[in-house]
Amino acid sequence: MSRKTVSRLVVTVAVVLGVADAVSIGSKLAAYDVPLSLIVACALACLATTVWAVDLLTKAFASTTYRCPDPACSFTVRVRHVDAVENRRWQETAAEHPSHHYRG
């Protein structure tokens, strides 16, 4: 499967989950006679949050993170869809990033 196909599949799944969540929340609120404008606002917020969360989880599992080896440093690099040479370059960048040269 190509990256484009996987990306489309993930977006489709995220939207389906978001719509299911929005419909669920909307139907629960409708049972309490909540005004339609508030139901729509809550449903759209649930849809956006679900799509955002699925996208965030997908990016977290599909990327490689390199951290500075210094325990006191919080520098990180996160890369996705790069070849071996580019991966190695980012690994070296994380190990010797410019802010280390400015320490006293």
Side-chain angles (χ1 to χ4, degrees):
M1 229 187 272
S2 70
R3 282 188 212 150
K4 195 172 188 178
T5 305
V6 171
S7 178
R8 286 182 181 172
L9 182 63
V10 167
V11 169
T12 303
V13 168
V15 170
V16 167
L17 289 174
V19 167
D21 187 34
V23 168
S24 172
I25 294 296
S27 64
K28 289 176 185 175
L29 289 175
Y32 290 101
D33 293 328
V34 175
L36 182 62
S37 60
L38 189 57
I39 292 173
V40 169
C42 290
L44 289 175
C46 289
L47 171 68
T49 303
T50 305
V51 170
W52 173 79
V54 170
D55 184 52
L56 187 67
L57 287 172
T58 303
K59 286 180 181 176
F61 287 118
S63 63
T64 303
T65 303
Y66 297 112
R67 292 178 174 79
C68 178
D70 183 4
C73 184
S74 63
F75 184 83
T76 61
V77 177
R78 181 169 285 166
V79 294
R80 292 176 50 191
H81 310 303
V82 294
D83 60 358
V85 174
E86 189 75 7
N87 241 350
R88 181 67 182 160
R89 188 176 73 80
W90 282 111
Q91 188 177 17
E92 291 170 356
T93 300
E96 291 297 326
H97 57 91
S99 63
H100 279 293
H101 299 295
Y102 302 116
R103 292 187 187 175

